[in-house]
Amino acid sequence: MARLEIKRKLTARSDRVKAVDIHPTEPWLLSSLFSGQVHVWNYQTQTLVKTFEVTELPVRTAKFVARKQWVITGSDDMYIRVFNYNTMKKVKVVEAHTDYLRSLAVHPSQPYVLSSSDDMTIKLWDWDKNWHNLMVFEGHSHYVMMIVFNPKDPNTFASASLDRTVKVWGLNSSNPYFTLEGHDKGVNCVDYMVDGDKPYLVSGADDRLVKVWDYQNKTCVATLEGHTNNVSAVCFHPELPFIISGSEDGSLRIWNSSTYRSEKVLNYTMERIWSLGHLRGSHCLAAGYDQGAVLLKFGREEPSYSMDSTGKIAWAKHNEIVSVNIKNAAEDSTPDGERLTLATKDLGTTEVYPRYLRHSPNGRFIAVCGDGEFIIYTALAWRNKSFGTGQEFVWDSTGGYAVRDGTGKIKIFKNFKESKALRPDFTPEGIFGGHLLGVKTSKFVNFYSWEGQLVRKIDVVPKQVIWSEGGEFVVVTTETAFFILAYNAAAVNAAFALGKPVPDEGYEQAFEVVHDVSERVRAGKWIGDCFIYTNSQNRLNYCIGGQIVTIAHLDRTLYLLGYVPRDNRVYLVDKNLAVVSYKLHLSVINYQIAILRKNIEQAEQLLPKIPRDQYTRIAQFLEARGFLPQALAVSTEPDHKFDLAVQLGELEVAHAMAQELKQDHRWKQLGELAMSQCRLDLAETCLWNASDIPGLLLLYSSLGNAPGMQKLAGYAREKGENNVAFVCYLLLNRVDDCLELLCSTGRVPEAAFMARTYAPSRVSDIVKRWRQELASINQKAAEALADPFEYENLFPDLQWALKAEELCRKFNSETKPARLYTPMISRYNEGYNIINELKQLASTVTELPTEDAMALFMIPEESSPAPTETNATTVTKTEEELDAEAEALAMAALEAEERQAALTTSPTTSEIETPTTVTASPATTSTPTTETSTPTPTPQPEVPELEPEPEPTDS
């Protein structure tokens, strides 16, 4: 038992602890104190999380009732109290007995609680019936110190009394079924064996003895001696083959429940022990002392198991070995991750408590190691083949093995006979088997040949060393990562053949680091060049070529048994020895290995053998290795196929996938790709499918596509994208539509100012509408709004502005190519004023010659080509012809400007900005100003005082 690991997880210092309990789901330890308090400790954070002030007298017993979120207590004031441990509120107080309460027991499924007392009675309570007392059990002649339900038959329970007896009762009778007598003094504690088939009870008494009883035969099976004071607490460990007893001598003794020998004595110097607590399904044990409580964890929760390459499993349940064959599991329709229904077979028992089991490489033998010994059995008949002493046992790749003893000596066996002994110049802390013998210390690991020659020293402390079947690769796992190393056996053998002394660090060429992965491995196996493993995040992964692929996310901690190629399945087991499996096709692994080895021909031959539901996984692997065309050809998942097509620039494939996916972001992605390849027709389709209104605005405005812009304006307005609709109308010179859009969206003031600048003829109607809306808020402000047609004297050059609007509407009645505006850019960049230009042609609006006025808006008509629909696809002239034409037009426009300047003089009076209309083309985007003389004062109607009117902004 030297290898039994016991870790102290919590030390909670406090007053004397009379009872302890462990919560089944939360990391909580409950302790009831002699001082009248109850504490709840979190053993993960090492903190006191809850305190209940129960009474001023000792609380001798307390229990969790997790299904009700309760803590129930029994104390010397003879009351049972119930608390909700979430709200900390007292739920119920029951006057239970006429003397001190000693013990409470909670039924595992019914709403029942048993209580025992110094009044020599046991009472049964039903909390669903307002804590009604269902029955009183009488029969003891002294204090009843402890009661416990039988976990195998919860309708029966046992009691321990200072009358020196243990009695067994049933819930249907107030009289005991039978009495067990054998102790010389009062019995303080009793417990049932939780696991196993044996009908055993254990009791501890003031005679310092621990007795094991067979309650079916009503006989004492064993008496355990060793304590030097009263035995105050005793229990069977719920998961391991141990009996634990606590005494007023301050010691915890651990006994083997099969051999009844004392295995270990623990003393934490906290004075007398008063209680023990355990939890079924857990390896933890709690103990209450005079000076507080401790929580211990026994052993490890990983079960002892092993599986050979054909799928034969052997596992240990205490000292019993069970065999399972998963040969028919492949025909089982059980879904991945669900427990498999497997028939078990008892192989036999072993003389040592198994710490672990290991199949030999050929599967013919199973080694059992534990209790500082090892035994090798035949796998079929379970016959003892060999045995010996040793702390650790490992197989080599050919059937030999090595054993590390307690002195640091490592013995190597061939054909079950010792052939070599290693005594390194350091203290070995562990050994690893496989193609080389690994020996680790707290700072490094040495690899030796099985003849004892040093191969290589590596400065890492491994948790596991896992060799591939052919010995080409080895995985070295640590607490935080694992390393895949390539082993160069040929170089090592060549170095050995030279016969020279081995360097202190071994041969550098022996290993090469291939991959370094930051994951903690729980268990792993090799399948060819593929390493499959479970990690600390409860994921089942495999690593191939440095790429990590997740097979499944596990809902609990599972331990890897192995892979059976025949079934194409990975098998795992949990701590309760439930076997589950997950599908992993061998053809997929072989295909990936062929790709890694760049054997494309072999990979193509394997591809038809792979099920289609695995093609996506294959495509992801190919993508990661850089084989994008092959990945596109294999992938069946539309999302993945779309991404691959975009990476490869395959527009047609991406278009087909986008039509299937019907996702806006996919259409946008494809649209950007189409733009980059000048596939503007496809880009337009994508933008419409994605409802990308801003993108369509950019596209149509860049192409000068007037029909598209008109369609977009209606669509944007329908979708509520009024800003885009407004820009579309403005670019199309549809000023009336702009004004109507502003008014319909409640932007009447903005419509009025826009009309003043671009459509003076519409100002009067919009101002009236503005007045109506404003009157409901502020009548005075509404009356202050002036209509230009009612107070024309307040709006200089209004008639000129109306004439300019008329001319602009006539000019914009037909859509013109944008290239015709190019020669006019310089003119408008110099502050071109259309009203000033009109005044140069005539002194009054009525005298203005229309043809001369229209010439101001554009280049001479005879130089302009016939109007055509603006579309990028209608231009048929060559670039040279267009450049020459543009240059000629620019020269003609410049000469016209010079002639006009010679005939006119500069304005001599101040320029006043007035509203006029401007086309939406680049040639008419400056704000017009006009030259006026100071008007003669005339009688004016009384109007409200107006705020200074803002100047119109540039279009």
Side-chain angles (χ1 to χ4, degrees):
M1 190 51 60
R3 292 298 304 177
L4 175 62
E5 299 173 4
I6 300 177
K7 294 181 180 180
R8 185 165 22 164
K9 302 192 69 174
L10 174 70
T11 301
R13 294 282 180 176
S14 66
D15 294 333
R16 183 184 303 169
V17 175
K18 297 300 293 182
V20 288
D21 195 21
I22 303 173
H23 196 282
T25 57
E26 300 289 343
W28 291 347
L29 170 66
L30 179 73
S31 61
S32 65
L33 308 185
F34 197 78
S35 62
Q37 294 178 323
V38 171
H39 289 173
V40 178
W41 295 83
N42 186 314
Y43 53 80
Q44 289 183 351
T45 62
Q46 308 283 304
T47 56
L48 177 64
V49 292
K50 300 176 190 293
T51 299
F52 299 90
E53 300 289 344
V54 180
T55 179
E56 294 181 355
L57 297 175
V59 181
R60 297 184 182 273
T61 180
K63 293 287 185 182
F64 279 119
V65 185
R67 60 185 184 270
K68 301 291 287 184
Q69 293 83 50
W70 285 349
V71 170
I72 57 174
T73 67
S75 51
D76 282 5
D77 60 4
M78 300 167 284
Y79 283 91
I80 294 175
R81 291 178 174 83
V82 184
F83 298 87
N84 185 301
Y85 57 64
N86 289 328
T87 65
M88 303 294 290
K89 291 183 178 179
K90 191 183 296 181
V91 176
K92 186 71 176 177
V93 178
V94 181
E95 188 175 358
H97 289 272
T98 59
D99 207 338
Y100 298 169
L101 267 78
R102 291 286 180 174
S103 180
L104 293 170
V106 181
H107 194 282
S109 58
Q110 298 296 323
Y112 297 158
V113 174
L114 285 171
S115 63
S116 69
S117 167
D118 285 0
D119 63 9
M120 300 180 290
T121 64
I122 302 168
K123 293 186 178 182
L124 178 66
W125 309 89
D126 187 337
W127 68 63
D128 279 352
K129 296 182 179 179
N130 197 26
W131 289 85
H132 176 65
N133 182 206
L134 298 180
M135 189 174 293
V136 179
F137 303 90
E138 297 180 319
H140 282 295
S141 57
H142 209 307
Y143 303 163
V144 184
M145 301 298 288
M146 188 172 180
I147 44 178
V148 60
F149 278 106
N150 185 346
K152 297 173 183 175
D153 180 10
N155 290 321
T156 62
F157 65 93
S159 61
S161 171
L162 293 186
D163 63 9
R164 306 179 185 180
T165 65
V166 173
K167 294 183 183 292
V168 176
W169 312 73
L171 295 181
N172 56 358
S173 173
S174 60
N175 297 317
Y177 287 167
F178 54 87
T179 301
L180 301 174
E181 297 180 288
H183 284 288
D184 296 333
K185 292 186 179 181
V187 184
N188 294 311
C189 46
V190 65
D191 192 31
Y192 279 96
M193 176 178 275
V194 178
D195 207 356
D197 298 329
K198 297 176 181 178
Y200 284 179
L201 275 168
V202 64
S203 62
D206 288 345
D207 58 7
R208 306 176 184 178
L209 300 178
V210 174
K211 288 185 177 289
V212 181
W213 307 86
D214 184 326
Y215 58 79
Q216 285 187 350
N217 296 327
K218 306 176 185 60
T219 57
C220 179
V221 176
T223 299
L224 313 180
E225 302 181 28
H227 285 293
T228 58
N229 208 331
N230 301 340
V231 179
S232 50
V234 70
C235 69
F236 281 101
H237 194 286
E239 298 296 320
L240 302 174
F242 304 130
I243 298 170
I244 300 99
S245 60
S247 167
E248 292 182 32
D249 62 13
S251 68
L252 272 177
R253 285 187 175 266
I254 302 170
W255 315 81
N256 190 306
S257 60
S258 298
T259 63
Y260 304 113
R261 68 187 181 192
S262 178
E263 301 287 2
K264 187 169 284 191
V265 180
L266 303 173
N267 194 322
Y268 294 107
T269 64
M270 296 175 71
E271 299 188 12
R272 295 173 294 182
I273 295 176
W274 294 106
S275 59
L276 294 174
H278 57 77
L279 179 66
R280 189 166 190 177
S282 169
H283 284 216
C284 291
L285 180 87
Y289 289 82
D290 272 335
Q291 296 181 4
V294 298
L295 183 75
L296 308 174
K297 183 177 180 182
F298 284 67
R300 52 181 191 160
E301 294 189 348
E302 182 178 352
S304 299
Y305 63 89
S306 181
M307 185 176 86
D308 68 9
S309 58
T310 65
K312 294 177 182 177
I313 305 172
W315 64 54
K317 294 186 69 174
H318 303 321
N319 290 72
E320 300 172 357
I321 308 299
V322 177
S323 174
V324 177
N325 194 332
I326 58 174
K327 184 176 181 179
N328 299 324
E331 303 171 2
D332 196 334
S333 59
T334 304
D336 284 1
E338 296 295 324
R339 181 172 184 169
L340 299 175
T341 303
L342 301 171
T344 61
K345 175 186 176 183
D346 291 335
L347 272 181
T349 60
T350 178
E351 290 81 2
V352 299
Y353 173 70
R355 181 168 172 259
Y356 54 80
L357 277 63
R358 294 287 184 269
H359 271 93
S360 63
N362 58 16
R364 293 177 55 194
F365 303 102
I366 299 176
V368 179
C369 189
D371 293 350
E373 301 177 10
F374 73 91
I375 304 175
I376 300 176
Y377 296 92
T378 58
L380 294 178
W382 201 248
R383 294 193 180 96
N384 188 323
K385 179 67 175 177
S386 183
F387 64 92
T389 59
Q391 300 297 324
E392 279 189 286
F393 178 99
V394 294
W395 293 101
D396 76 2
S397 58
T398 60
Y401 57 91
V403 177
R404 178 178 70 88
D405 64 21
T407 66
K409 184 179 178 181
I410 299 168
K411 300 176 182 179
I412 300 174
F413 292 80
K414 297 287 186 181
N415 298 321
F416 303 98
K417 295 180 180 179
E418 184 176 343
S419 63
K420 183 76 175 179
L422 277 178
R423 189 176 290 276
D425 55 1
F426 53 83
T427 302
E429 296 185 1
I431 58 175
F432 306 98
H435 286 265
L436 296 177
L437 173 62
V439 182
K440 77 168 182 177
T441 70
S442 59
K443 295 183 179 180
F444 59 87
V445 60
N446 277 359
F447 286 97
Y448 298 89
S449 69
W450 285 94
E451 285 72 36
Q453 297 167 292
L454 176 64
V455 174
R456 183 63 176 157
K457 175 184 177 181
I458 300 177
D459 292 325
V460 69
V461 182
K463 297 288 289 184
Q464 302 174 77
V465 174
I466 308 166
W467 286 87
S468 63
E469 187 175 352
E472 298 172 350
F473 298 100
V474 61
V475 166
V476 177
T477 74
T478 67
E479 288 286 356
T480 58
F482 70 89
F483 306 89
I484 299 179
L485 310 179
Y487 175 54
N488 191 341
V492 172
N493 292 334
F496 283 154
L498 296 176
K500 296 181 180 179
V502 179
D504 293 341
E505 301 287 323
Y507 299 108
E508 185 176 351
Q509 66 271 30
F511 291 103
E512 178 185 356
V513 178
V514 180
H515 300 293
D516 176 2
V517 182
S518 297
E519 283 192 53
R520 182 181 176 184
V521 173
R522 278 209 175 102
K525 300 282 185 181
W526 282 93
I527 311 169
D529 292 349
C530 171
F531 179 64
I532 184 169
Y533 64 96
T534 57
N535 66 12
S536 55
Q537 284 78 40
N538 285 339
R539 292 178 186 168
L540 176 63
N541 295 342
Y542 69 83
C543 177
I544 185 165
Q547 182 183 353
I548 306 299
V549 180
T550 298
I551 301 171
H553 294 264
L554 311 177
D555 58 358
R556 61 192 185 280
T557 301
L558 294 174
Y559 304 96
L560 187 62
L561 286 168
Y563 179 78
V564 179
R566 176 193 65 227
D567 302 340
N568 286 316
R569 284 194 168 271
V570 182
Y571 292 93
L572 304 99
V573 64
D574 65 13
K575 66 179 182 179
N576 298 318
L577 301 175
V579 178
V580 300
S581 69
Y582 291 90
K583 198 79 172 178
L584 179 60
H585 289 274
L586 184 62
S587 55
V588 172
I589 296 173
N590 289 335
Y591 179 91
Q592 293 173 332
I593 292 172
I595 291 294
L596 286 176
R597 294 174 176 173
K598 297 183 179 180
N599 192 339
I600 305 301
E601 183 179 349
Q602 182 185 3
E604 290 176 352
Q605 294 174 356
L606 289 168
L607 186 61
K609 301 177 182 178
I610 299 175
R612 286 195 63 81
D613 61 357
Q614 299 295 312
Y615 273 24
T616 298
R617 179 177 291 177
I618 289 294
Q620 292 170 345
F621 175 80
L622 289 168
E623 180 187 9
R625 307 307 301 179
F627 295 94
L628 297 185
Q630 291 85 348
L632 179 62
V634 169
S635 181
T636 58
E637 187 181 78
D639 275 310
H640 189 223
K641 199 163 187 175
F642 177 88
D643 291 335
L644 291 169
V646 168
Q647 292 181 63
L648 292 169
E650 296 287 347
L651 290 178
E652 299 307 324
V653 177
H655 187 201
M657 292 300 102
Q659 289 177 317
E660 184 176 344
L661 292 168
K662 298 179 181 178
Q663 297 171 351
D664 287 354
H665 70 282
R666 296 298 189 187
W667 284 114
K668 288 182 181 180
Q669 194 175 354
L670 178 58
E672 292 174 1
L673 179 62
M675 284 271 204
S676 67
Q677 296 190 12
C678 296
R679 285 287 305 276
L680 302 181
D681 54 339
L682 179 57
E684 181 181 3
T685 301
C686 294
L687 292 172
W688 275 110
N689 280 299
S691 298
D692 188 356
I693 294 175
L696 287 166
L697 176 62
L698 176 63
L699 177 67
Y700 288 147
S701 61
S702 301
L703 296 178
N705 188 338
M709 191 78 75
Q710 179 139 355
K711 179 182 175 183
L712 176 61
Y715 182 73
R717 193 166 182 182
E718 177 186 335
K719 294 294 184 181
E721 297 284 347
N722 294 318
N723 287 342
V724 175
F726 182 87
V727 172
C728 291
Y729 287 142
L730 191 62
L731 293 176
L732 291 168
N733 298 317
R734 292 171 56 174
V735 177
D736 290 336
D737 288 328
C738 289
L739 297 174
E740 191 277 328
L741 178 61
L742 289 171
C743 291
S744 65
T745 55
R747 311 298 290 271
V748 179
E750 289 90 336
F753 283 105
M754 182 178 182
R756 183 188 173 200
T757 303
Y758 290 97
S761 61
R762 296 287 308 277
V763 173
S764 183
D765 293 338
I766 295 174
V767 167
K768 289 178 183 177
R769 187 167 180 176
W770 190 4
R771 284 175 178 170
Q772 292 174 359
E773 292 188 0
L774 191 57
S776 62
I777 302 172
N778 189 327
Q779 181 65 37
K780 186 176 180 180
E783 294 173 354
L785 294 174
D787 186 335
F789 291 93
E790 295 177 2
Y791 304 103
E792 188 172 341
N793 59 308
L794 298 178
F795 296 89
D797 291 335
L798 177 62
Q799 296 302 322
W800 286 102
L802 292 171
K803 187 62 177 178
E805 177 190 358
E806 177 188 341
L807 295 171
C808 282
R809 288 183 182 275
K810 183 176 180 181
F811 176 77
N812 291 325
S813 60
E814 294 180 352
T815 305
K816 299 172 181 60
R819 59 187 173 80
L820 297 183
Y821 291 86
T822 304
M824 315 302 290
I825 292 176
S826 60
R827 175 189 298 177
Y828 296 111
N829 285 342
E830 297 171 358
Y832 187 75
N833 189 316
I834 190 63
I835 290 181
N836 284 349
E837 297 297 328
L838 291 175
K839 286 183 177 181
Q840 301 299 326
L841 298 177
S843 58
T844 63
V845 174
T846 56
E847 298 175 357
L848 187 67
T850 303
E851 293 183 0
D852 292 344
M854 287 299 298
L856 296 175
F857 285 85
M858 198 57 190
I859 57 176
E861 189 173 347
E862 63 271 11
S863 302
S864 304
T868 58
E869 183 180 355
T870 304
N871 193 306
T873 59
T874 62
V875 178
T876 57
K877 294 184 179 182
T878 65
E879 292 185 5
E880 292 78 3
E881 291 173 334
L882 292 175
D883 291 342
E885 186 178 79
E887 185 177 352
L889 292 174
M891 293 297 296
L894 186 59
E895 291 174 2
E897 288 183 13
E898 291 175 352
R899 286 195 301 270
Q900 186 68 27
L903 295 173
T904 62
T905 59
S906 302
T908 59
T909 59
S910 60
E911 294 181 346
I912 303 175
E913 294 184 358
T914 59
T916 186
T917 182
V918 183
T919 65
S921 65
T924 58
T925 56
S926 62
T927 303
T929 61
T930 184
E931 179 187 36
T932 62
S933 60
T934 305
T936 304
T938 57
Q940 299 180 6
E942 294 184 3
V943 296
E945 185 178 350
L946 298 176
E947 293 289 333
E949 196 158 350
E951 294 181 359
T953 58
D954 289 348
S955 169

